[in-house]
């Protein structure tokens, strides 16, 4: 982040605005809405700005800017078209450790004005760090259509009941659950339809009959997909942002994790070959323990939880312990990596079936049915097989797969680091020894790989 988003409380505080034109007027309108007392230094003043100052106890100083004008100010805004003068103001403000914004000059700003969506007390600020303000305004316009103005009424209602809810529930998790039910149920719908008295009555009734006991929580087994956060499902995102606890794997990308609720307890339970941060039995127990403590737990898995993700084992443990759960499918690596690499898994001219296979071979020996895999007109997809690539190739060749069979390695598929190499069973081991593609990687075997050079579309500049 170039800037840390912050919200200033400005009611009754003095702010210095240098410049009296139309740009200064736009800034002043925002400042007085936040309750600030605005002092303007300028030789001339826009008539509307003069009226704004008169209406909100502001002050116009019709003279040259002096250093002492900075005394006692909470913020400084320079809105002139003289960059040399603006730099002087910037340097003097920074020397006094005052926050300053020089309009339309990000290099001379210690804070920026975001595009604002006002649903007070809910306020959303959108910033491009001064690089693309029009883009920020366009995004705000989209949010204006998605977030009804009645959200302001909902926020005001919550504010009136906030202390009562805090007194009613000693547990922060129970308070959070109460508010989430309120904001997503009948009460919110009453607010959105303008029935404020009915909404307030329902909220009081819900508070009166609510049980302080937390009870058993719930576990959500969520597929995080291959790494691109835009490939998450809506349901996955919603549950991630509700969860009190998140248990996540090594293959869950940082961008996906960043979408989880900020104050959730984040627990890494990832596995690498020959190294597990927590044994599977320990993960199972942890899911049960956290749910029994009343938490909503997201078990976040790369790809899909039921495709080589041990999701079934974890659900068996939860079922036996009487813990309620839900499963949210994710886009598995076979689908994502093949699509992003430009390799269709099926094609009527090349392959009529797909076989998903784990390449994680115990003790480096294989119990895989290579004879069945040697059948033509199918696509083979090996997960977690990069370190056993030579054994996989050898097994296929020994069972009669032609040495000219096409094969692709897709490393870190669907991410900006994606790399793809293609070859044949005869050449691919040597190619990988030279390329040294890193894990995680997917191995795709079949004639569909022939299409990759023509259909490749994502991150091809490597």
């Amino acid at each position: 982040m170039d800037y840390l988003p912050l919200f200033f409380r400005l009611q009754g505080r003095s702010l210095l605005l240098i410049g009296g034109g139309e740009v200064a007027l736009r800034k002043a309108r925002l400042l007085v809405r936040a309750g600030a007392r605005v002092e303007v230094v300028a030789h001339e003043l826009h008539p509307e700005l003069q009226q704004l100052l008169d209406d909100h106890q502001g002050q116009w100083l019709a003279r040259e800017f002096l250093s002492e004008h900075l005394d006692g100010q909470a913020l400084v805004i320079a809105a002139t078209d003289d960059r040399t003068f603006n730099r002087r103001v910037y340097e003097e403000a920074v020397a006094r450790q005052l926050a300053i914004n020089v309009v339309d000059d990000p290099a001379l700003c210690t804070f920026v004005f975001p595009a604002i969506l006002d649903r007070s007390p809910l306020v959303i600020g959108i910033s491009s760090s001064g690089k693309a303000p029009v883009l920020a305004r366009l995004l705000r316009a989209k949010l204006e259509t998605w977030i009804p103005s009645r959200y302001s009424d909902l926020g005001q209602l919550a504010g009136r009941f906030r202390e009562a809810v805090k007194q009613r529930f000693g547990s922060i998790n129970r308070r959070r659950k109460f508010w989430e039910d309120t904001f997503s149920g009948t009460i919110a719908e009453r607010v959105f339809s303008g029935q404020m008295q009915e909404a307030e009555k329902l909220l009081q009734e819900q508070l009166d009959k609510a049980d302080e006991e937390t009870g058993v929580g719930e576990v959500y087994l969520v597929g995080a997909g291959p790494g691109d956060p835009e490939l998450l499902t809506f349901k996955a995102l919603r549950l991630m942002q509700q969860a009190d606890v998140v248990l996540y794997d090594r293959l869950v990308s940082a961008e996906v994790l960043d979408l989880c609720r900020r104050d959730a307890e984040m627990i890494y339970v990832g596995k690498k070959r020959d190294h597990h941060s927590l044994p599977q039995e320990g993960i199972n127990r942890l899911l049960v323990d956290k749910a029994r403590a009343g938490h909503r737990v997201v078990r976040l898995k790369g790809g899909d939880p039921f495709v080589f993700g041990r999701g079934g084992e974890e659900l068996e443990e939860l079922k036996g312990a009487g813990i309620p759960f839900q499963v949210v499918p994710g886009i598995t690596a076979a689908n994502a990596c093949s699509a992003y690499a430009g390799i269709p898994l099926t094609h009527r001219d090349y392959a009529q079936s797909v076989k998903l296979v784990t390449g994680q071979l115990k003790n480096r020996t294989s119990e895989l049915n290579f004879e069945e895999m040697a059948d033509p007109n199918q696509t083979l997809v090996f997960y977690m097989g990069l370190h056993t690539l030579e054994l996989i190739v050898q097994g296929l060749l020994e069972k009669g797969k032609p040495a000219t069979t096409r094969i692709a390695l897709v490393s870190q598929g669907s991410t900006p680091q994606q790399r793809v190499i293609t070859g044949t069973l005869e050449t691919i081991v040597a190619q990988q020894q030279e390329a040294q593609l890193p894990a995680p990687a997917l191995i795709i075997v079949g004639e569909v790989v022939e299409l990759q050079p023509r259909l490749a579309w994502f991150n091809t500049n490597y």
Side-chain angles (χ1 to χ4, degrees):
M1 292 188 298
D2 294 329
Y3 291 87
L4 178 66
L6 298 171
F7 290 86
F8 284 94
R9 185 173 181 85
L10 298 177
Q11 283 90 343
R13 302 190 69 184
S14 180
L15 307 180
L16 184 64
L17 177 58
I18 304 170
E22 189 170 337
V23 174
L25 172 63
R26 292 201 301 268
K27 300 303 180 186
R29 285 171 177 159
L30 287 174
L31 297 172
V32 298
R33 279 174 60 186
R37 188 176 70 254
V38 180
E39 293 185 7
V40 177
V41 174
H43 286 294
E44 297 181 357
L45 204 63
H46 191 290
E48 290 186 40
L49 181 52
Q50 177 68 75
Q51 187 63 50
L52 196 70
L53 296 178
D54 292 343
D55 292 343
H56 295 87
Q57 293 77 52
Q59 183 180 10
W60 174 28
L61 305 176
R63 56 171 303 168
E64 293 284 346
F65 166 76
L66 300 174
S67 297
E68 50 262 35
H69 290 148
L70 298 173
D71 294 342
Q73 304 294 347
L75 297 174
V76 181
I77 298 97
T80 82
D81 56 7
D82 185 340
R83 195 171 195 276
T84 300
F85 171 75
N86 289 343
R87 177 171 286 280
R88 174 197 157 197
V89 175
Y90 167 80
E91 290 174 350
E92 292 195 26
V94 169
R96 293 170 177 248
Q97 296 185 336
L98 286 173
I100 179 168
N101 174 275
V102 176
V103 179
D104 291 334
D105 197 340
L108 299 182
C109 294
T110 61
F111 75 94
V112 294
F113 282 89
I116 296 172
L117 176 66
D118 187 2
R119 299 288 187 266
S120 295
L122 178 66
V123 178
I124 300 173
I126 305 162
S127 171
S128 65
S129 301
K131 295 179 175 64
V134 174
L135 181 61
R137 289 199 294 272
L138 288 173
L139 181 55
R140 184 200 65 187
K142 289 182 180 292
L143 291 176
E144 289 276 4
T145 65
W146 295 339
I147 302 176
S149 60
R150 289 286 185 181
Y151 267 82
S152 176
D153 295 328
L154 188 60
Q156 297 287 352
L157 177 64
R160 293 196 293 274
F161 277 80
R162 185 172 186 270
E163 189 59 34
V165 171
K166 187 175 181 180
Q167 294 297 324
R168 181 70 178 83
F169 303 113
S171 163
I172 188 171
N173 287 333
R174 189 64 188 88
R175 291 199 297 270
R176 184 184 297 118
K177 180 66 167 55
F178 176 86
W179 283 122
E180 286 174 351
D181 291 342
T182 298
F183 294 148
S184 60
T186 304
I187 294 170
E189 292 302 321
R190 291 287 190 276
V191 172
F192 296 151
S193 61
Q195 302 175 54
M196 291 303 299
Q197 290 185 339
E198 181 67 16
E200 190 157 342
K201 178 183 176 183
L202 287 173
L203 182 51
Q204 185 63 62
E205 290 175 356
Q206 182 171 297
L207 184 61
D208 291 340
K209 68 182 181 181
D211 188 358
E212 171 65 32
E213 293 298 321
T214 302
V216 175
E218 188 171 9
V219 174
Y220 313 120
L221 194 60
V222 175
D228 184 347
E230 292 188 352
L231 297 181
L232 285 170
T233 65
F234 287 131
K235 186 171 184 178
L237 181 60
R238 177 171 60 81
L239 295 178
M240 287 163 58
Q241 293 179 343
Q242 288 182 189
D244 308 307
V245 182
V246 178
L247 278 65
Y248 64 97
D249 282 349
R250 180 175 65 92
L251 297 180
V252 179
S253 70
E255 292 80 6
V256 169
L257 288 175
D258 197 44
L259 296 175
C260 294
R261 208 179 77 206
R262 294 292 181 187
D263 59 343
E265 180 183 3
M266 307 296 290
I267 304 175
Y268 175 67
V269 293
K271 306 179 183 70
K272 289 185 179 180
R273 185 166 56 94
D274 302 325
H275 175 72
H276 294 183
S277 62
L278 189 67
Q280 186 61 50
E281 294 77 11
I283 296 173
N284 296 347
R285 287 195 301 272
L286 190 57
L287 290 171
V288 171
D289 291 345
K290 291 294 184 181
R292 280 180 172 164
H295 298 300
R296 288 162 298 176
V297 184
V298 159
R299 174 68 170 103
L300 200 55
K301 291 175 172 287
D304 180 272
F306 279 4
V307 180
F308 306 122
R310 299 191 180 182
E313 298 176 37
E314 293 172 0
L315 293 192
E316 285 183 306
E317 187 81 13
L318 295 170
K319 188 71 172 180
I323 304 296
F325 57 81
Q326 298 182 43
V327 180
V328 182
I331 296 180
T332 188
N335 296 107
C337 294
S338 62
Y340 275 62
I343 304 173
L345 294 180
T346 62
H347 190 288
R348 62 181 179 175
D349 294 334
Y350 299 100
Q352 287 71 53
S353 64
V354 181
K355 187 181 294 293
L356 308 183
V357 188
T358 177
Q360 196 86 317
L361 307 179
K362 188 175 181 179
N363 299 323
R364 291 191 173 273
T365 63
S366 175
E367 298 179 358
L368 300 177
N369 189 345
F370 284 110
E371 187 170 358
E372 182 184 86
M373 294 180 203
D375 292 342
N377 302 321
Q378 66 175 334
T379 303
L380 306 174
V381 182
F382 291 88
Y383 287 65
M384 302 168 288
L386 197 60
H387 64 288
T388 53
L389 175 62
E390 189 170 356
L391 294 174
I392 291 170
V393 168
Q394 180 182 344
L396 292 172
L397 291 172
E398 287 178 352
K399 295 302 180 181
K401 202 75 170 170
T404 56
T405 301
R406 303 294 296 173
I407 182 171
L409 306 182
V410 185
S411 171
Q412 298 177 298
S414 86
T415 74
Q417 294 75 41
Q418 174 178 298
R419 292 180 61 195
V420 181
I421 59 174
T422 64
T424 66
L425 291 180
E426 187 175 37
T427 65
I428 195 65
V429 172
Q431 289 177 267
Q432 168 59 5
Q433 287 174 347
E434 180 179 354
Q436 292 294 302
L437 298 190
L442 206 70
I443 303 170
I444 304 175
V445 181
E447 298 312 312
V448 290
V449 176
E450 286 188 18
L451 297 168
Q452 195 273 338
R454 302 201 299 273
L455 304 184
W457 60 275
F458 177 75
N459 195 25
T460 57
N461 298 319
Y462 46 79

